[in-house]
Amino acid sequence: MNKNPTVSVIIPTYNRAHLIGRAIQSVLNQTYQDFEIIIVDDGSTDNTEEVIKEFQEQDKRVKYIKHDKNKGGSAARNTGIKTARGEYIAFQDSDDEW
């Protein structure tokens, strides 16, 4: 059975390798578990991608998209919305924790 998640959590990020792990883990730690996490990397030049890939290996709900160049937070959020499969959309900044 391949059902869509109820909530799509969209996290735009740019050069936040030092913070993105905490943001992702805070979503994974929620008691409500019917979600996907869509991280849109807005052209980072640090090791943000490597940090996210580690989470992807552990949890299939973590999705990763990377822009070729920095387009800004709004563009990253819009990319996430276009990819989202959930009934509801939630936004989280890459330096926030739930």
Side-chain angles (χ1 to χ4, degrees):
M1 175 186 241
N2 188 13
K3 107 179 185 48
N4 288 338
T6 302
V7 180
S8 295
V9 180
I10 299 170
I11 306 176
T13 191
Y14 177 71
N15 286 341
R16 293 282 177 99
H18 62 292
L19 296 172
I20 191 67
R22 286 185 3 200
I24 296 167
Q25 191 61 57
S26 76
V27 177
L28 294 173
N29 288 343
Q30 298 302 302
T31 56
Y32 187 81
Q33 292 288 302
D34 188 15
F35 59 80
E36 66 180 346
I37 303 172
I38 301 168
I39 302 142
V40 182
D41 183 345
D42 197 28
S44 293
T45 57
D46 65 358
N47 66 325
T48 296
E49 182 172 357
E50 289 80 17
V51 173
I52 296 166
K53 296 275 185 185
E54 289 180 26
F55 281 94
Q56 278 189 299
E57 291 174 9
Q58 302 299 317
D59 198 310
K60 66 180 179 177
R61 294 174 297 175
V62 178
K63 314 287 189 247
Y64 177 70
I65 301 167
K66 185 169 184 175
H67 286 167
D68 293 333
K69 63 179 182 173
N70 186 272
K71 299 178 182 181
S74 296
R77 285 179 185 85
N78 287 336
T79 297
I81 290 168
K82 290 175 188 170
T83 305
R85 298 179 307 127
E87 183 177 352
Y88 301 101
I89 292 177
F91 294 108
Q92 179 180 349
D93 290 335
S94 58
D95 62 345
D96 288 346
E97 293 181 52
W98 282 1

XYZ file of all heavy atoms in Angstrom:
788
model
N 0.841 -1.178 0.000
C 0.000 0.000 0.000
C 0.888 1.245 0.000
O 1.736 1.424 0.853
C -0.899 -0.028 1.236
C -1.723 1.220 1.401
S -2.599 1.173 2.969
C -4.236 1.229 2.389
N 0.698 2.108 -0.961
C 1.512 3.311 -1.096
C 0.620 4.530 -0.884
O 0.168 5.153 -1.824
C 2.171 3.330 -2.476
C 3.169 4.454 -2.601
O 3.551 5.073 -1.626
N 3.588 4.710 -3.823
N 0.343 4.858 0.375
C -0.545 5.976 0.649
C 0.254 7.254 0.838
O 1.374 7.241 1.336
C -1.421 5.631 1.844
C -1.128 6.322 3.138
C -2.109 5.884 4.187
C -1.940 6.624 5.471
N -1.825 8.032 5.436
N -0.333 8.351 0.426
C 0.314 9.646 0.598
C 0.283 10.049 2.061
O -0.663 9.730 2.781
C -0.391 10.711 -0.250
C -0.129 10.544 -1.722
O 0.849 9.937 -2.127
N -1.005 11.087 -2.528
N 1.314 10.769 2.503
C 1.331 11.229 3.895
C 0.285 12.311 4.110
O -0.149 12.983 3.172
C 2.746 11.791 4.049
C 3.128 12.212 2.672
C 2.466 11.230 1.750
N -0.115 12.483 5.347
C -1.073 13.533 5.675
C -0.422 14.907 5.630
O -1.008 15.867 5.151
C -1.687 13.281 7.066
O -2.312 11.994 7.058
C -2.717 14.334 7.408
N 0.820 15.011 6.111
C 1.494 16.309 6.202
C 2.814 16.277 5.434
O 3.591 15.331 5.566
C 1.775 16.700 7.673
C 2.485 18.042 7.762
C 0.484 16.727 8.485
N 3.040 17.315 4.642
C 4.328 17.519 3.980
C 5.020 18.674 4.704
O 4.510 19.799 4.703
C 4.136 17.880 2.503
O 3.572 16.815 1.796
N 6.137 18.382 5.335
C 6.913 19.407 6.036
C 7.989 19.890 5.074
O 8.839 19.104 4.644
C 7.552 18.851 7.328
C 8.351 19.935 8.043
C 6.495 18.248 8.234
N 7.959 21.164 4.742
C 8.903 21.734 3.784
C 9.924 22.576 4.536
O 9.556 23.490 5.277
C 8.168 22.574 2.726
C 7.192 21.671 1.959
C 9.164 23.248 1.784
C 6.237 22.408 1.060
N 11.194 22.237 4.332
C 12.285 22.949 4.991
C 13.230 23.494 3.917
O 14.027 22.745 3.355
C 13.074 22.038 5.956
C 12.143 21.371 6.971
C 14.179 22.833 6.651
C 12.835 20.378 7.891
N 13.156 24.788 3.615
C 14.141 25.382 2.705
C 15.441 25.617 3.475
O 15.409 25.934 4.677
C 13.495 26.697 2.277
C 12.571 27.047 3.387
C 12.145 25.759 4.029
N 16.567 25.459 2.803
C 17.838 25.667 3.497
C 18.892 26.213 2.550
O 18.840 25.992 1.340
C 18.321 24.353 4.157
O 19.409 24.635 5.028
C 18.711 23.305 3.121
N 19.840 26.914 3.124
C 20.979 27.435 2.359
C 22.170 27.569 3.307
O 22.128 28.335 4.270
C 20.652 28.796 1.735
C 21.820 29.403 0.995
C 22.260 28.866 -0.214
C 22.504 30.487 1.522
C 23.344 29.405 -0.885
C 23.590 31.041 0.857
C 24.002 30.499 -0.344
O 25.078 31.023 -1.006
N 23.202 26.773 3.061
C 24.432 26.780 3.866
C 24.146 26.676 5.366
O 24.671 27.433 6.170
C 25.265 28.036 3.566
C 25.947 27.950 2.218
O 26.106 26.876 1.647
N 26.355 29.089 1.702
N 23.343 25.695 5.718
C 22.991 25.482 7.127
C 23.401 24.091 7.605
O 22.711 23.482 8.422
C 21.492 25.673 7.332
C 20.991 27.083 7.126
C 21.310 27.933 8.353
N 20.909 29.309 8.189
C 19.796 29.834 8.661
N 18.948 29.080 9.325
N 19.525 31.104 8.484
N 24.516 23.595 7.121
C 24.959 22.251 7.518
C 25.062 22.124 9.032
O 24.777 21.065 9.590
C 26.307 21.923 6.874
N 25.426 23.199 9.692
C 25.613 23.169 11.150
C 24.282 23.173 11.908
O 24.266 22.914 13.107
C 26.484 24.346 11.591
C 25.893 25.694 11.291
N 25.750 26.169 10.000
C 25.401 26.640 12.103
C 25.198 27.375 10.041
N 24.972 27.679 11.312
N 23.143 23.428 11.227
C 21.846 23.498 11.897
C 20.796 22.539 11.349
O 19.866 22.161 12.061
C 21.276 24.922 11.793
C 22.060 26.023 12.496
C 21.488 27.381 12.126
C 22.015 25.810 14.003
N 20.896 22.149 10.100
C 19.827 21.399 9.440
C 19.552 20.058 10.124
O 18.401 19.613 10.181
C 20.109 21.217 7.924
C 18.866 20.676 7.199
C 21.310 20.325 7.669
C 17.710 21.604 7.135
N 20.553 19.423 10.658
C 20.357 18.145 11.340
C 19.415 18.263 12.521
O 18.539 17.416 12.725
N 19.569 19.319 13.306
C 18.675 19.535 14.452
C 17.249 19.785 13.983
O 16.301 19.306 14.608
C 19.161 20.715 15.300
C 20.373 20.387 16.107
C 20.835 21.469 17.043
N 20.005 22.664 17.098
C 20.415 23.833 17.547
N 21.638 23.979 17.988
N 19.611 24.879 17.584
N 17.098 20.543 12.901
C 15.762 20.830 12.374
C 15.077 19.538 11.914
O 13.906 19.296 12.230
C 15.852 21.828 11.226
N 15.800 18.715 11.179
C 15.234 17.446 10.694
C 14.888 16.541 11.857
O 13.792 15.974 11.923
C 16.216 16.739 9.739
C 16.440 17.574 8.481
C 15.715 15.337 9.389
C 17.605 17.107 7.633
N 15.811 16.392 12.783
C 15.582 15.494 13.921
C 14.390 15.937 14.752
O 13.639 15.107 15.262
C 16.838 15.408 14.800
C 16.778 14.304 15.837
C 16.655 12.927 15.191
O 17.486 12.536 14.380
N 15.614 12.190 15.543
N 14.171 17.242 14.860
C 13.038 17.724 15.650
C 11.706 17.319 15.016
O 10.736 17.065 15.734
C 13.113 19.241 15.842
O 12.734 19.947 14.686
N 11.649 17.229 13.690
C 10.425 16.755 13.033
C 10.297 15.245 13.229
O 9.217 14.741 13.568
C 10.420 17.111 11.534
C 9.171 16.556 10.859
C 10.501 18.624 11.333
N 11.386 14.528 13.042
C 11.345 13.072 13.215
C 10.954 12.671 14.636
O 10.381 11.599 14.838
C 12.703 12.462 12.853
C 13.114 12.567 11.388
C 14.548 12.079 11.204
C 12.158 11.799 10.483
N 11.227 13.520 15.613
C 10.922 13.221 17.011
C 9.462 13.456 17.393
O 9.065 13.148 18.521
C 11.804 14.065 17.939
C 13.239 13.613 17.941
O 13.562 12.508 17.508
N 14.119 14.472 18.417
N 8.659 13.976 16.491
C 7.258 14.244 16.811
C 6.502 12.946 17.059
O 6.817 11.905 16.480
C 6.585 15.014 15.665
C 7.188 16.371 15.392
C 7.146 17.276 16.605
O 6.088 17.553 17.155
N 8.323 17.726 17.023
N 5.485 13.010 17.923
C 4.675 11.819 18.167
C 3.801 11.507 16.961
O 3.515 10.342 16.688
C 3.793 11.983 19.421
O 2.994 13.159 19.284
C 4.656 12.091 20.672
N 3.372 12.520 16.230
C 2.618 12.316 15.001
C 3.618 11.933 13.914
O 4.582 12.651 13.672
C 1.867 13.599 14.623
C 0.942 13.409 13.455
C -0.314 12.855 13.629
C 1.342 13.767 12.176
C -1.173 12.664 12.555
C 0.493 13.580 11.092
C -0.752 13.029 11.286
O -1.593 12.842 10.223
N 3.397 10.821 13.252
C 4.415 10.286 12.342
C 3.979 10.189 10.880
O 4.743 9.725 10.040
C 4.847 8.897 12.823
C 5.611 8.925 14.135
C 7.005 9.488 13.957
O 7.793 8.969 13.177
N 7.310 10.559 14.653
N 2.774 10.632 10.543
C 2.283 10.513 9.163
C 2.683 11.756 8.357
O 1.872 12.620 8.065
C 0.767 10.325 9.169
C 0.210 10.007 7.794
O 1.001 9.651 6.886
O -1.013 10.120 7.615
N 3.957 11.822 8.023
C 4.479 12.994 7.309
C 5.618 12.600 6.388
O 6.171 11.506 6.477
C 4.973 14.062 8.294
C 6.063 13.596 9.226
C 7.383 13.523 8.803
C 5.771 13.222 10.521
C 8.389 13.087 9.641
C 6.770 12.791 11.385
C 8.073 12.723 10.944
N 5.938 13.533 5.503
C 7.170 13.477 4.723
C 7.902 14.786 5.008
O 7.266 15.800 5.325
C 6.880 13.334 3.224
C 6.184 14.540 2.620
C 5.890 14.395 1.131
O 6.429 13.489 0.469
O 5.102 15.219 0.622
N 9.219 14.754 4.940
C 10.022 15.966 5.098
C 10.677 16.240 3.756
O 11.414 15.402 3.240
C 11.106 15.805 6.180
C 10.489 15.409 7.527
C 11.913 17.092 6.320
C 11.526 15.045 8.582
N 10.391 17.404 3.210
C 10.980 17.799 1.934
C 11.964 18.928 2.212
O 11.555 20.025 2.608
C 9.905 18.264 0.940
C 8.890 17.143 0.706
C 10.555 18.721 -0.365
C 7.648 17.593 -0.035
N 13.241 18.640 2.040
C 14.269 19.647 2.255
C 14.702 20.163 0.896
O 15.118 19.385 0.035
C 15.464 19.085 3.030
C 14.984 18.534 4.370
C 16.528 20.162 3.241
C 15.662 17.306 4.793
N 14.566 21.467 0.703
C 14.966 22.086 -0.559
C 16.225 22.899 -0.294
O 16.191 23.923 0.374
C 13.849 22.974 -1.152
C 14.304 23.546 -2.484
C 12.555 22.181 -1.307
N 17.328 22.392 -0.792
C 18.633 23.038 -0.663
C 18.743 24.080 -1.769
O 18.752 23.754 -2.943
C 19.720 21.975 -0.781
C 21.124 22.507 -0.593
O 21.317 23.737 -0.639
O 22.028 21.681 -0.427
N 18.816 25.327 -1.376
C 18.795 26.431 -2.331
C 20.198 26.787 -2.817
O 20.609 27.941 -2.789
C 18.102 27.636 -1.702
C 17.677 28.676 -2.721
O 17.408 28.298 -3.881
O 17.615 29.858 -2.363
N 20.943 25.771 -3.251
C 22.264 25.995 -3.836
C 23.387 26.134 -2.818
O 24.348 26.866 -3.059
N 23.309 25.414 -1.719
C 24.350 25.496 -0.685
C 25.730 25.159 -1.230
O 25.877 24.339 -2.134
C 24.035 24.533 0.464
O 22.883 24.934 1.157
N 26.736 25.792 -0.637
C 28.125 25.531 -1.010
C 28.893 24.863 0.124
O 30.080 24.584 -0.022
C 28.826 26.837 -1.425
O 28.745 27.773 -0.347
C 28.192 27.430 -2.677
N 28.226 24.618 1.251
C 28.863 23.904 2.352
C 28.461 22.427 2.275
O 28.030 21.955 1.232
C 28.504 24.549 3.707
C 27.024 24.438 4.040
O 26.240 23.901 3.213
O 26.632 24.894 5.130
N 28.557 21.688 3.356
C 28.257 20.255 3.321
C 26.821 19.936 3.773
O 26.551 18.865 4.298
C 29.273 19.468 4.140
C 29.196 19.772 5.618
O 28.920 20.904 6.009
N 29.440 18.777 6.438
N 25.907 20.852 3.499
C 24.495 20.629 3.814
C 23.987 19.330 3.201
O 23.297 18.550 3.857
C 23.646 21.831 3.333
O 24.035 22.995 4.071
C 22.164 21.591 3.519
N 24.317 19.079 1.955
C 23.841 17.880 1.267
C 24.259 16.610 1.993
O 23.454 15.687 2.156
C 24.355 17.856 -0.173
C 23.867 16.659 -0.954
C 24.218 16.722 -2.435
O 24.804 17.729 -2.889
O 23.906 15.742 -3.137
N 25.491 16.544 2.446
C 25.978 15.340 3.124
C 25.210 15.086 4.420
O 24.888 13.945 4.747
C 27.483 15.434 3.415
C 28.351 15.327 2.182
C 28.445 16.623 1.378
O 28.110 17.706 1.923
O 28.821 16.561 0.197
N 24.923 16.150 5.154
C 24.172 16.007 6.402
C 22.782 15.440 6.115
O 22.319 14.506 6.776
C 24.069 17.365 7.141
C 23.150 17.260 8.351
C 25.448 17.869 7.547
N 22.125 15.975 5.108
C 20.773 15.531 4.761
C 20.789 14.089 4.265
O 19.922 13.285 4.623
C 20.155 16.469 3.713
C 19.983 17.871 4.308
C 18.824 15.924 3.204
C 19.710 18.954 3.292
N 21.772 13.728 3.462
C 21.868 12.364 2.920
C 21.965 11.331 4.046
O 21.427 10.228 3.927
C 23.069 12.232 1.981
C 22.967 13.087 0.741
C 22.202 12.426 -0.343
C 22.252 13.311 -1.579
N 21.449 12.833 -2.641
N 22.631 11.676 5.138
C 22.709 10.761 6.281
C 21.322 10.473 6.845
O 21.019 9.337 7.214
C 23.623 11.329 7.361
C 25.085 11.308 6.985
C 25.983 11.874 8.071
O 25.597 11.836 9.262
O 27.067 12.367 7.737
N 20.474 11.490 6.916
C 19.109 11.290 7.392
C 18.299 10.477 6.393
O 17.478 9.649 6.792
C 18.432 12.639 7.673
C 18.839 13.253 8.970
C 19.878 14.172 9.013
C 18.205 12.920 10.151
C 20.270 14.748 10.201
C 18.588 13.485 11.355
C 19.623 14.403 11.387
N 18.516 10.708 5.115
C 17.805 9.950 4.081
C 18.098 8.459 4.182
O 17.209 7.639 3.944
C 18.207 10.428 2.687
C 17.484 11.655 2.230
C 17.784 11.926 0.772
O 18.924 12.133 0.399
N 16.751 11.921 -0.035
N 19.318 8.123 4.518
C 19.693 6.714 4.647
C 18.953 6.045 5.805
O 18.707 4.841 5.765
C 21.199 6.583 4.845
C 22.007 6.942 3.616
C 23.503 6.958 3.868
O 23.937 6.526 4.961
O 24.244 7.408 2.977
N 18.590 6.829 6.814
C 17.935 6.290 8.005
C 16.407 6.308 7.918
O 15.750 5.521 8.596
C 18.363 7.093 9.249
C 19.854 7.111 9.489
C 20.421 5.726 9.708
O 19.834 4.915 10.413
N 21.559 5.438 9.096
N 15.851 7.228 7.106
C 14.397 7.392 7.090
C 13.926 7.770 5.683
O 14.306 8.819 5.166
C 13.990 8.475 8.093
C 12.524 8.418 8.452
O 11.683 8.372 7.524
O 12.207 8.447 9.655
N 13.106 6.931 5.101
C 12.643 7.150 3.725
C 11.685 8.324 3.588
O 11.378 8.755 2.474
C 11.997 5.881 3.180
C 10.728 5.499 3.897
C 10.124 4.246 3.347
C 8.865 3.971 4.174
N 8.115 2.887 3.779
N 11.208 8.876 4.694
C 10.319 10.043 4.632
C 11.078 11.332 4.343
O 10.466 12.355 4.045
C 9.545 10.191 5.944
C 8.573 9.044 6.195
C 7.948 9.142 7.546
N 8.998 9.032 8.566
C 8.789 9.178 9.871
N 7.581 9.453 10.320
N 9.778 9.047 10.721
N 12.396 11.302 4.435
C 13.211 12.487 4.175
C 13.515 12.554 2.683
O 14.143 11.656 2.127
C 14.519 12.459 4.996
C 15.384 13.670 4.678
C 14.207 12.392 6.494
N 13.050 13.623 2.054
C 13.280 13.849 0.625
C 14.238 15.022 0.468
O 14.212 15.971 1.258
C 11.972 14.203 -0.098
C 10.796 13.328 0.232
C 10.915 11.961 -0.375
C 9.627 11.185 -0.215
N 9.694 10.048 0.655
N 15.066 14.984 -0.567
C 16.062 16.034 -0.786
C 15.987 16.537 -2.221
O 15.978 15.748 -3.160
C 17.470 15.494 -0.499
C 18.569 16.479 -0.758
C 18.741 17.586 0.054
C 19.437 16.296 -1.825
C 19.760 18.498 -0.181
C 20.465 17.203 -2.068
C 20.621 18.294 -1.244
O 21.624 19.200 -1.474
N 15.914 17.845 -2.355
C 15.924 18.500 -3.663
C 16.970 19.607 -3.584
O 17.045 20.323 -2.578
C 14.553 19.129 -3.980
C 13.455 18.070 -3.967
C 14.598 19.868 -5.313
C 12.062 18.650 -3.947
N 17.759 19.756 -4.639
C 18.768 20.821 -4.640
C 18.622 21.702 -5.863
O 18.570 21.206 -6.989
C 20.183 20.240 -4.601
C 21.240 21.329 -4.475
C 22.604 20.781 -4.170
C 23.580 21.944 -3.953
N 24.882 21.488 -3.535
N 18.547 23.011 -5.623
C 18.584 23.982 -6.718
C 20.023 24.107 -7.204
O 20.959 24.070 -6.390
C 18.116 25.356 -6.244
C 16.643 25.458 -6.021
N 16.078 26.515 -5.356
C 15.607 24.656 -6.366
C 14.776 26.373 -5.304
N 14.460 25.240 -5.902
N 20.205 24.282 -8.493
C 21.540 24.462 -9.062
C 22.188 25.755 -8.604
O 23.406 25.843 -8.492
C 21.489 24.445 -10.590
C 21.107 23.082 -11.132
O 21.372 22.071 -10.440
O 20.562 23.024 -12.238
N 21.350 26.770 -8.368
C 21.866 28.051 -7.891
C 20.895 28.615 -6.876
O 19.734 28.202 -6.817
C 22.064 29.034 -9.046
C 20.798 29.398 -9.773
C 21.053 30.383 -10.881
C 19.709 30.740 -11.543
N 19.848 31.786 -12.508
N 21.352 29.552 -6.081
C 20.529 30.172 -5.048
C 19.434 31.012 -5.699
O 19.715 31.914 -6.481
C 21.416 31.020 -4.134
C 20.636 31.571 -2.978
O 20.048 32.628 -3.073
N 20.627 30.839 -1.889
N 18.183 30.699 -5.360
C 17.022 31.397 -5.928
C 16.229 32.144 -4.866
O 15.280 32.841 -5.188
C 16.106 30.400 -6.633
C 16.759 29.672 -7.792
C 15.798 28.672 -8.392
C 16.449 27.887 -9.518
N 15.517 26.929 -10.113
N 16.569 31.928 -3.601
C 15.852 32.585 -2.519
C 14.866 31.660 -1.829
O 14.437 30.647 -2.379
N 14.512 32.049 -0.613
C 13.635 31.223 0.215
C 12.268 30.962 -0.387
O 11.735 29.851 -0.282
N 11.682 31.966 -1.019
C 10.354 31.778 -1.616
C 10.389 30.741 -2.723
O 9.497 29.886 -2.815
C 9.827 33.101 -2.174
O 9.634 34.019 -1.132
N 11.396 30.789 -3.565
C 11.531 29.810 -4.645
C 11.723 28.409 -4.069
O 11.155 27.434 -4.582
C 12.685 30.177 -5.566
N 12.509 28.292 -3.008
C 12.730 26.989 -2.379
C 11.423 26.447 -1.792
O 11.117 25.256 -1.937
C 13.804 27.095 -1.303
N 10.647 27.306 -1.148
C 9.360 26.865 -0.620
C 8.428 26.415 -1.752
O 7.736 25.401 -1.632
C 8.715 27.980 0.199
C 9.349 28.170 1.556
C 8.696 29.301 2.337
N 9.413 29.526 3.586
C 10.492 30.294 3.707
N 10.965 30.928 2.647
N 11.094 30.431 4.861
N 8.401 27.171 -2.838
C 7.549 26.806 -3.976
C 7.962 25.474 -4.582
O 7.107 24.671 -4.970
C 7.562 27.911 -5.032
C 6.768 29.127 -4.600
O 5.875 29.042 -3.766
N 7.101 30.265 -5.170
N 9.259 25.212 -4.657
C 9.736 23.915 -5.139
C 9.224 22.804 -4.235
O 8.775 21.756 -4.700
C 11.275 23.891 -5.214
O 11.707 24.864 -6.170
C 11.802 22.517 -5.618
N 9.292 23.034 -2.929
C 8.792 22.051 -1.974
C 7.303 21.802 -2.127
O 6.834 20.659 -2.091
N 6.537 22.862 -2.322
C 5.087 22.731 -2.495
C 4.775 21.893 -3.733
O 3.898 21.032 -3.703
C 4.425 24.120 -2.601
C 4.482 24.833 -1.246
C 2.986 24.005 -3.089
C 4.113 26.306 -1.305
N 5.497 22.128 -4.809
C 5.259 21.379 -6.050
C 5.549 19.888 -5.884
O 4.964 19.057 -6.568
C 6.122 21.943 -7.182
C 5.676 23.310 -7.639
C 6.635 23.882 -8.667
C 6.276 25.327 -8.967
N 7.299 25.997 -9.774
N 6.453 19.562 -4.992
C 6.844 18.168 -4.763
C 5.967 17.477 -3.722
O 5.867 16.258 -3.705
C 8.322 18.125 -4.300
O 9.111 18.801 -5.267
C 8.825 16.709 -4.140
N 5.332 18.260 -2.872
C 4.578 17.731 -1.732
C 3.461 16.786 -2.169
O 2.781 17.028 -3.157
C 4.007 18.887 -0.923
N 3.296 15.721 -1.391
C 2.238 14.750 -1.636
C 1.211 14.741 -0.518
O 0.215 14.042 -0.587
C 2.834 13.346 -1.782
C 3.783 13.202 -2.950
C 4.374 11.801 -3.037
N 4.980 11.391 -1.773
C 4.696 10.246 -1.122
N 3.856 9.394 -1.607
N 5.282 9.974 0.029
N 1.462 15.495 0.540
C 0.578 15.492 1.697
C -0.707 16.261 1.492
O -0.813 17.116 0.615
N -1.672 15.952 2.338
C -2.938 16.670 2.327
C -2.743 18.087 2.879
O -3.408 19.021 2.453
C -3.949 15.902 3.179
C -5.318 16.501 3.202
C -6.308 15.662 3.995
O -5.971 14.533 4.417
O -7.423 16.153 4.202
N -1.827 18.217 3.836
C -1.522 19.504 4.456
C -0.047 19.819 4.266
O 0.785 18.917 4.157
C -1.839 19.474 5.956
C -3.282 19.164 6.245
C -3.666 17.885 6.630
C -4.263 20.138 6.113
C -4.998 17.585 6.878
C -5.595 19.859 6.366
C -5.957 18.572 6.750
O -7.266 18.283 6.990
N 0.273 21.114 4.280
C 1.655 21.561 4.153
C 2.033 22.337 5.404
O 1.271 23.182 5.875
C 1.843 22.430 2.897
C 1.664 21.570 1.653
C 3.207 23.115 2.900
C 1.755 22.306 0.357
N 3.214 22.034 5.923
C 3.769 22.771 7.063
C 5.152 23.266 6.662
O 5.887 22.570 5.964
C 3.866 21.865 8.286
N 5.477 24.466 7.083
C 6.796 25.029 6.807
C 7.613 25.083 8.092
O 7.096 25.366 9.158
C 6.681 26.457 6.248
C 6.036 26.523 4.903
C 4.760 27.037 4.761
C 6.692 26.077 3.773
C 4.146 27.110 3.529
C 6.091 26.136 2.524
C 4.812 26.654 2.406
N 8.893 24.789 7.940
C 9.832 24.930 9.051
C 11.108 25.521 8.477
O 11.596 25.067 7.436
C 10.129 23.582 9.711
C 11.116 23.717 10.853
C 11.422 22.386 11.501
O 10.775 21.378 11.250
N 12.428 22.370 12.334
N 11.655 26.520 9.132
C 12.936 27.075 8.708
C 14.055 26.137 9.157
O 13.922 25.395 10.125
C 13.143 28.479 9.286
C 12.220 29.498 8.671
O 11.770 29.278 7.523
O 11.931 30.508 9.324
N 15.158 26.185 8.444
C 16.250 25.246 8.698
C 17.020 25.539 9.990
O 17.841 24.729 10.401
C 17.222 25.212 7.513
O 17.738 26.492 7.252
N 16.721 26.651 10.627
C 17.358 26.935 11.923
C 16.361 26.829 13.069
O 16.658 27.238 14.191
C 18.016 28.321 11.903
C 17.037 29.457 11.691
O 15.881 29.210 11.276
O 17.422 30.615 11.937
N 15.187 26.260 12.808
C 14.157 26.101 13.828
C 14.057 24.645 14.284
O 14.478 23.732 13.574
C 12.779 26.513 13.304
C 12.649 28.010 13.139
O 13.502 28.749 13.666
O 11.705 28.441 12.469
N 13.479 24.467 15.456
C 13.202 23.140 15.971
C 11.754 23.085 16.422
O 11.245 24.051 16.973
C 14.100 22.826 17.170
C 15.566 22.700 16.819
C 16.401 22.364 18.037
O 16.058 21.384 18.730
O 17.357 23.074 18.285
N 11.109 21.953 16.167
C 9.742 21.755 16.646
C 9.775 21.056 17.975
O 10.626 20.283 18.289
C 8.960 20.910 15.662
C 8.478 21.656 14.457
C 8.683 22.974 14.148
C 7.711 21.118 13.382
N 8.088 23.292 12.965
C 7.479 22.161 12.469
C 7.200 19.879 13.110
C 6.748 21.985 11.302
C 6.490 19.705 11.943
C 6.258 20.744 11.054
